[in-house]
Amino acid sequence: MKGAGILENTAVAVARGRIAAIGTARHLLPAFADAEIIDCRGGVLTPGLVDSHTHAVFGKPRFEEQELRAAGRGYMEIEAQGGGIHSSVRDLRARTENELFDLALTRLRALASYGTTTIEIKSGYGLSLDDELKMLRVIGRLAASSPMRIVATWLGAHEIPHEYRSSDDRRKEFHRLLIDDLLPLVKEQGIARFADVFCEPGVFTVEESRAILEASRQAGLGLKIHADELEPAGGAELAASLNAASADHLAAISERGIRALAASDTVATLLPGTMLFLGKPKLAPARALIDAGAAVALATDFNPGTSPTVNFPLILTLGVSQLRMSVAEAIIAATVNGAAALGLAGETGQIAPGFSADLALFQISDARELPYWYGARLCVGTWKAGAPCHPYENLAKLNPRSPEISTAG
Ligand SMILES: [Zn+2]
């Protein structure tokens, strides 16, 4: 994660949706004489950002909880007043597929406008057979009709729904429902690429998580884990032992967990926006993870309860200023390693010949400005496989410092 490989005065040639060549414009232009030219001078072109952890399909936002938290109300109190994750569950169950699709599409456009071209979206607000399938169908429709690259994750084990909380036997019934009833349908319908479990004391134990994830692997799904967010419960070690694609959150990861991830191919996905938004001082030990040799990714955790931001570069700011990452490490975490966390390491997240032409153009003159102007929307264009994700804004018009555009490129 040491060097981001930044090149100056470089042109990127795209053919049939893939990066065909990289070099100076003078060398590339004769070989691509018919090409449409997009002038990126005065800007910085990066791989399209890969947001490998979101809950982007939801109904109502939950802004009323923010003030309650500020006033010192705990999670249980907020839940008692009708908030918390169960309010998102109730709300999602009451909505139609079309409503959820329309709401999510608007939010995806906002995400793309900040530089994101690939996004993972989890289910997990349905928590019943029909509603989990409904959510995954919405994600599938978004994948088919949104200009972004979308990866679906089945997170049936996000929480124990209220109707299964009355006794231990009822809890066990929910587990049985997940593994015996829901998972076979997810597999049969081919509507998810990964399975995920919220492994945390009081939600799903390490043993329960292991059972769900092993069954998911049998069903052909890749594995992800919400691990060690609040307590060091062994989620990271579990992820490494299962060779999961990623272990996510990790604010409370143990020394053993750090060593386990460093010795594995499992990506450590950190979500510093969540802790910022919740006002919690706890931070994932990014430095210790990177220095031990773990691959670290950053993601937004975009969701209505704990991280309602569509601004991925802001997460890079937190990576540098809060998690003490270098700018190169933060950019790699949001591109190369995000792609690895989604099993797409050979497809997206790099500007290199053969990769999908997933690109983001920022109105800055130095890559270090990306996490610097925090909160600003600096992105002026994103492309997936060479096609625009959100409308390209002419950089020269926006940026008076950049030279006049000439048709000669
Ligand atoms: Zn999450």
Side-chain angles (χ1 to χ4, degrees):
M1 296 180 68
K2 289 268 189 289
I6 293 164
L7 304 173
E8 288 184 25
N9 301 317
T10 303
V12 177
V14 172
R16 289 175 295 281
R18 297 208 165 258
I19 293 165
I22 297 165
T24 62
R26 200 159 58 85
H27 280 104
L28 291 188
L29 277 171
F32 299 90
D34 299 336
E36 174 199 352
I37 294 167
I38 297 172
D39 195 323
C40 300
R41 287 176 301 174
V44 170
L45 188 71
T46 72
L49 303 181
V50 181
D51 195 351
S52 61
H53 184 135
T54 86
H55 306 256
V57 170
F58 59 88
K60 71 179 174 74
R62 283 163 37 199
F63 45 80
E64 63 288 348
E65 293 172 26
Q66 194 180 16
E67 271 183 334
L68 293 172
R69 264 194 305 276
R73 305 281 189 283
Y75 185 79
M76 298 313 278
E77 252 181 297
I78 290 171
E79 218 200 311
Q81 294 190 26
I85 183 176
H86 296 287
S87 73
S88 289
V89 173
R90 276 192 304 278
D91 177 77
L92 182 128
R93 286 177 176 178
R95 287 184 195 265
T96 66
E97 223 172 289
N98 282 343
E99 263 181 285
L100 291 168
F101 174 83
D102 290 343
L103 284 167
L105 195 59
T106 309
R107 293 169 186 148
L108 292 190
R109 289 199 184 107
L111 283 149
S113 76
Y114 280 90
T116 301
T117 56
T118 297
I119 177 177
E120 183 255 21
I121 308 176
K122 302 171 194 295
S123 71
Y125 293 130
L127 304 186
S128 74
L129 199 94
D130 290 344
D131 294 301
E132 280 295 302
L133 294 174
K134 173 173 83 178
M135 237 185 130
L136 287 168
R137 278 196 303 275
V138 171
I139 300 170
R141 278 179 59 191
L142 290 166
S145 53
S146 135
M148 298 170 93
R149 183 188 306 279
I150 292 172
V151 177
T153 294
W154 171 56
L155 178 57
H158 195 187
E159 177 57 294
I160 312 283
H162 273 313
E163 61 271 27
Y164 286 95
R165 288 175 156 242
S166 56
S167 68
D168 251 15
D169 281 351
R170 283 293 283 162
R171 274 181 65 101
K172 283 189 190 122
E173 265 181 66
F174 185 61
H175 281 259
R176 197 201 53 72
L177 171 100
L178 289 176
I179 294 176
D180 296 344
D181 300 342
L182 191 43
L183 177 59
L185 291 170
V186 171
K187 177 189 176 182
E188 188 184 296
Q189 298 178 20
I191 47 180
R193 183 156 175 178
F194 289 95
D196 194 344
V197 175
F198 202 96
C199 178
E200 197 74 40
V203 192
F204 293 89
T205 66
V206 167
E207 281 324 302
E208 289 168 339
S209 302
R210 182 189 291 281
I212 293 163
L213 291 169
E214 280 179 346
S216 299
R217 181 159 61 193
Q218 287 263 312
L221 299 178
L223 308 182
K224 292 178 159 291
I225 309 184
H226 281 67
D228 303 330
E229 179 180 357
L230 307 168
E231 288 177 50
E237 294 91 317
L238 174 66
S241 77
L242 291 171
N243 197 24
S246 70
D248 301 34
H249 279 296
L250 306 175
I253 187 174
S254 67
E255 283 293 328
R256 265 187 56 187
I258 292 173
R259 284 197 298 275
L261 289 183
S264 75
D265 289 334
T266 301
V267 176
T269 301
L270 310 184
L271 312 166
T274 309
M275 291 300 174
L276 172 87
F277 187 74
L278 292 176
K280 289 189 178 170
K282 210 164 198 168
L283 296 168
R287 270 278 47 94
L289 282 159
I290 293 169
D291 295 343
V296 168
L298 289 168
T300 61
D301 193 19
F302 177 53
N303 79 78
T306 64
S307 189
T309 184
V310 292
N311 184 341
F312 200 166
L314 179 60
I315 304 302
L316 272 66
T317 302
L318 298 177
V320 177
S321 69
Q322 305 297 300
L323 304 185
R324 309 286 170 195
M325 298 166 79
S326 69
V327 174
E329 286 168 345
I331 290 174
I332 288 167
T335 53
V336 180
N337 289 355
L342 297 177
L344 295 171
E347 178 67 14
T348 190
Q350 296 190 46
I351 304 180
F355 276 73
S356 178
D358 299 355
L359 301 163
L361 180 61
F362 294 93
Q363 189 192 4
I364 49 178
S365 56
D366 187 304
R368 287 170 292 185
E369 290 180 81
L370 187 54
Y372 171 74
W373 299 109
Y374 78 104
R377 193 171 78 77
L378 301 163
C379 182
V380 290
T382 48
W383 296 264
K384 186 201 91 182
C389 269
H390 84 105
Y392 166 65
E393 298 157 56
N394 188 313
L395 197 62
K397 275 190 199 150
L398 287 168
N399 185 355
R401 286 174 304 165
S402 79
E404 285 285 301
I405 288 201
S406 77
T407 48

